[in-house]
């Protein structure tokens, strides 16, 4: 997975199709913060955990990458095909964009995609050290602080996404038991967010 993402991120983003989303003014992280604030405003009820997480993200905003890259946006356990030789394909490219390559790595390592196998940070099947080794061996630049920041951002944002799905069921936009069940995951992702910033949050 690390090698595959490094190869993707090495592609000149100027060769990407024009309709691929760009971060706009500011860094990819600043753009992600702005989009997360929109999702926060849409919550049906306040979330002190997500509010704290968002404050942490703002206070720990990472340096922008030296160069932006084509980012898959949903590269994770559940969106990959493997066989006995290893990774064969990545699926679901509809949210691909131009952004910070560390977003892909942080998203892949969210606890949500480990499916109870929490000891293996990468999708429940691999370690972050192996992911990093593969990424760097294929020419990728691993930025540890940025990796952790994006993991926090992705976790918080996905929790807000779960809340939005539940809201879509409640207001009748997308009446579906699947969407309703998403609401049960919101508290889990609140917990994950708090655990990721535990011990690194400055008060005041």
């Amino acid at each position: 997975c690390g090698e595959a993402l490094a190869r993707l991120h090495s592609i000149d983003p100027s060769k990407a199709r024009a309709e691929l989303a760009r971060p706009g003014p500011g860094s990819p992280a600043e753009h992600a913060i702005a989009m997360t604030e929109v999702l926060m405003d849409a919550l049906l009820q306040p979330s002190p955990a997500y509010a704290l997480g968002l404050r942490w993200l703002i206070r720990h905003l990472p340096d922008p990458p030296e160069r932006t890259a084509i980012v898959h946006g949903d590269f994770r356990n559940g969106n990959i095909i493997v066989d006995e030789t290893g990774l064969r394909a990545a699926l679901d490219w509809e949210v691909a964009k131009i952004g910070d390559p560390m977003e892909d790595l942080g998203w892949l390592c969210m606890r949500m995609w480990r499916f109870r196998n929490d000891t293996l940070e990468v999708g429940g099947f691999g370690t972050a050290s192996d992911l990093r080794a593969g990424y760097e061996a294929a020419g990728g630049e691993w930025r540890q602080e940025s990796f952790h920041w994006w993991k926090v951002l992705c976790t918080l944002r996905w929790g807000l996404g779960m809340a939005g799905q539940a809201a879509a069921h409640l207001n009748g936009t997308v009446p579906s038991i699947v969407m309703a069940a998403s609401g049960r995951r919101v508290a889990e992702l609140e917990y994950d967010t708090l655990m990721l910033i535990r011990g690194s949050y400055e008060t005041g």
Side-chain angles (χ1 to χ4, degrees), residues 73-152:
D74 199 12
F75 190 98
R76 60 174 175 84
N77 190 358
N79 279 345
I80 56 177
I81 295 176
V82 300
D83 64 13
E84 63 277 2
T85 67
L87 179 67
R88 300 300 297 168
L91 309 176
D92 290 352
W93 289 79
E94 67 271 15
V95 294
K97 60 188 176 183
I98 305 300
D100 189 329
M102 298 311 291
E103 180 176 355
D104 269 340
L105 296 155
W107 180 258
L108 174 61
C109 291
M110 281 172 50
R111 192 172 76 92
M112 180 65 68
W113 316 131
R114 300 175 201 166
F115 302 101
R116 293 188 174 184
N117 201 15
D118 284 351
T119 58
L120 294 174
E121 186 174 2
V122 183
F125 57 78
T127 65
S129 60
D130 283 345
L131 178 70
R132 177 172 182 169
Y135 190 72
E136 292 180 331
E141 179 190 359
W142 186 282
R143 294 149 41 230
Q144 180 59 33
E145 290 186 5
S146 183
F147 164 73
H148 181 74
W149 188 92
W150 279 106
K151 188 162 60 170
V152 176

Side-chain angles (χ1 to χ4, degrees), residues 38-58:
V38 172
L39 295 174
M40 284 281 289
D41 291 341
L43 282 175
L44 296 182
Q45 62 186 34
S47 169
Y50 290 147
L52 188 67
L54 181 59
R55 185 187 304 176
W56 184 94
L57 288 164
I58 293 170

Side-chain angles (χ1 to χ4, degrees), residues 27-30 37 44 49 68 73 100 107 110 113 116 123 130 170 184-185 187 201:
S27 70
E30 290 171 330
E37 290 175 334
L44 296 182
T68 55
D100 189 329
W107 180 258
M110 281 172 50
W113 316 131
R116 293 188 174 184
D130 283 345
L170 291 171
R184 301 184 63 190
R185 310 305 298 269
Y201 190 85

Side-chain angles (χ1 to χ4, degrees), residues 6-29:
R7 290 196 295 270
L8 171 65
H9 298 158
S10 69
I11 298 172
D12 184 349
S14 67
K15 296 180 180 180
R17 292 186 176 185
E19 62 266 27
L20 214 61
R22 266 74 174 172
S27 70

